[in-house]
Amino acid sequence: QSVVYLCNDPHLQREVAIKTLHFVEADRRLSAHLLAEARMVSKLRHTNIVPIFEAGEQDGDPYLVFEYIAGESLAQVLRKGPLDSIRGATILAPVLDALAEAHGQSIIHRDLKPSNIIIDSKGAPRVMDFGIAMRAAGKPNGEAGKNQTLMGTLPYMAPEYVRDRTSDERSDIYAIGLVLIEMLAGQRVRLATSVPAMLASITEQPVRLKEEWAIDERMAAIALKAVDPEPAKRYQDAAQMAQALRDYVNPPDALSDG
């Protein structure tokens, strides 16, 4: 369980967002792991990443201090209705640039979703909440890994993570694919009435695009490639998907003809 507070830093006279994490049972090893990963992420510097200023622990609960970004989350934007394909691509291409920077340092986000993408006052998207990010492993964690607690937001998890507790950069790309479809459809891709049903949906049901979403063929191809059940068939890095979205907005053929 987490809570985010808007606070004022009296020393540097700036507003910051403080996220506190509370576990049902005290788990010092998990807290220490999260703090270690947060300190690692604090070294990331990119225009489209909300930086972590500080990480610590208070009364056994870890906390993270982020830059406060004035604006609204993508989740808030989507409450007003779906977006057209051009705007969706324009928002997500810089998000993928930010992920490419993180992935280049072997950091995967693990909790990408509309509420963790902020549209700032200038209209620029910013990726936030790397609070459960981790070093990319790239290899299955074995039987012990399968017993690990799932970290993140269930409807945006990749099949390989739910099934085997293994994830890499392509798991982030899968989540971005789900976010892209949600932006265009105006609703979450995966809806279930229970946790077991959601887990089964993720591991057993490939993403299908509904006709009523009216997603054009070129954009559908981009989205479905991102959410392919097999990681090897997805975009292999964030830069590839970012380029695909930019080519959608400005097709290379159209540029050459002009």
Side-chain angles (χ1 to χ4, degrees), residues 26-79:
D27 189 333
R28 291 194 172 276
R29 287 184 300 175
L30 182 55
S31 294
H33 171 75
L34 289 173
L35 291 175
E37 301 292 357
R39 294 185 182 107
M40 169 190 70
V41 171
S42 71
K43 299 175 184 178
L44 285 175
R45 292 291 180 269
H46 190 278
T47 304
N48 299 103
I49 292 177
V50 178
I52 296 176
F53 291 148
E54 182 183 346
E57 194 171 2
Q58 178 71 35
D59 298 329
D61 290 335
Y63 67 84
L64 307 169
V65 182
F66 296 90
E67 176 187 359
Y68 170 68
I69 304 296
E72 57 183 353
S73 71
L74 180 57
Q76 291 172 310
V77 172
L78 293 180
R79 290 191 192 112

Side-chain angles (χ1 to χ4, degrees), residues 57-108:
E57 194 171 2
Q58 178 71 35
D59 298 329
D61 290 335
Y63 67 84
L64 307 169
V65 182
F66 296 90
E67 176 187 359
Y68 170 68
I69 304 296
E72 57 183 353
S73 71
L74 180 57
Q76 291 172 310
V77 172
L78 293 180
R79 290 191 192 112
K80 304 169 189 174
L83 307 182
D84 63 72
S85 294
I86 295 294
R87 190 179 181 202
T90 302
I91 288 174
L92 285 189
V95 168
L96 286 155
D97 292 341
L99 290 177
E101 174 67 22
H103 294 169
Q105 299 185 42
S106 298
I107 296 171
I108 54 177

Side-chain angles (χ1 to χ4, degrees), residues 36-213:
E37 301 292 357
R39 294 185 182 107
M40 169 190 70
V41 171
S42 71
K43 299 175 184 178
L44 285 175
R45 292 291 180 269
H46 190 278
T47 304
N48 299 103
I49 292 177
V50 178
I52 296 176
F53 291 148
E54 182 183 346
E57 194 171 2
Q58 178 71 35
D59 298 329
D61 290 335
Y63 67 84
L64 307 169
V65 182
F66 296 90
E67 176 187 359
Y68 170 68
I69 304 296
E72 57 183 353
S73 71
L74 180 57
Q76 291 172 310
V77 172
L78 293 180
R79 290 191 192 112
K80 304 169 189 174
L83 307 182
D84 63 72
S85 294
I86 295 294
R87 190 179 181 202
T90 302
I91 288 174
L92 285 189
V95 168
L96 286 155
D97 292 341
L99 290 177
E101 174 67 22
H103 294 169
Q105 299 185 42
S106 298
I107 296 171
I108 54 177
H109 189 287
R110 293 204 300 169
D111 197 21
L112 290 161
K113 55 186 176 181
S115 60
N116 280 341
I117 298 172
I118 302 297
I119 310 300
D120 69 20
S121 57
K122 296 181 180 179
R126 308 279 297 276
V127 183
M128 67 171 293
D129 206 353
F130 276 83
I132 64 166
M134 63 175 288
R135 286 284 182 184
K139 295 181 180 180
N141 296 324
E143 290 302 317
K146 294 180 181 180
N147 295 322
Q148 292 176 358
T149 301
L150 289 169
M151 299 288 286
T153 304
L154 200 53
Y156 301 93
M157 290 180 184
E160 67 274 10
Y161 179 55
V162 171
R163 184 176 54 246
D164 304 319
R165 304 299 192 269
T166 181
S167 56
D168 60 18
E169 295 87 346
R170 295 168 298 182
S171 304
D172 276 351
I173 289 172
Y174 186 91
I176 285 293
L178 292 175
V179 171
L180 174 59
I181 298 169
E182 183 172 340
M183 293 168 73
L184 306 179
Q187 66 180 69
R188 270 188 182 175
V189 176
R190 295 201 182 278
L191 301 171
T193 56
S194 68
V195 170
M198 179 63 75
L199 293 172
S201 172
I202 294 169
T203 58
E204 299 172 12
Q205 300 174 17
V207 174
R208 297 282 185 264
L209 302 183
K210 296 181 180 179
E211 187 174 346
E212 60 262 33
W213 293 344

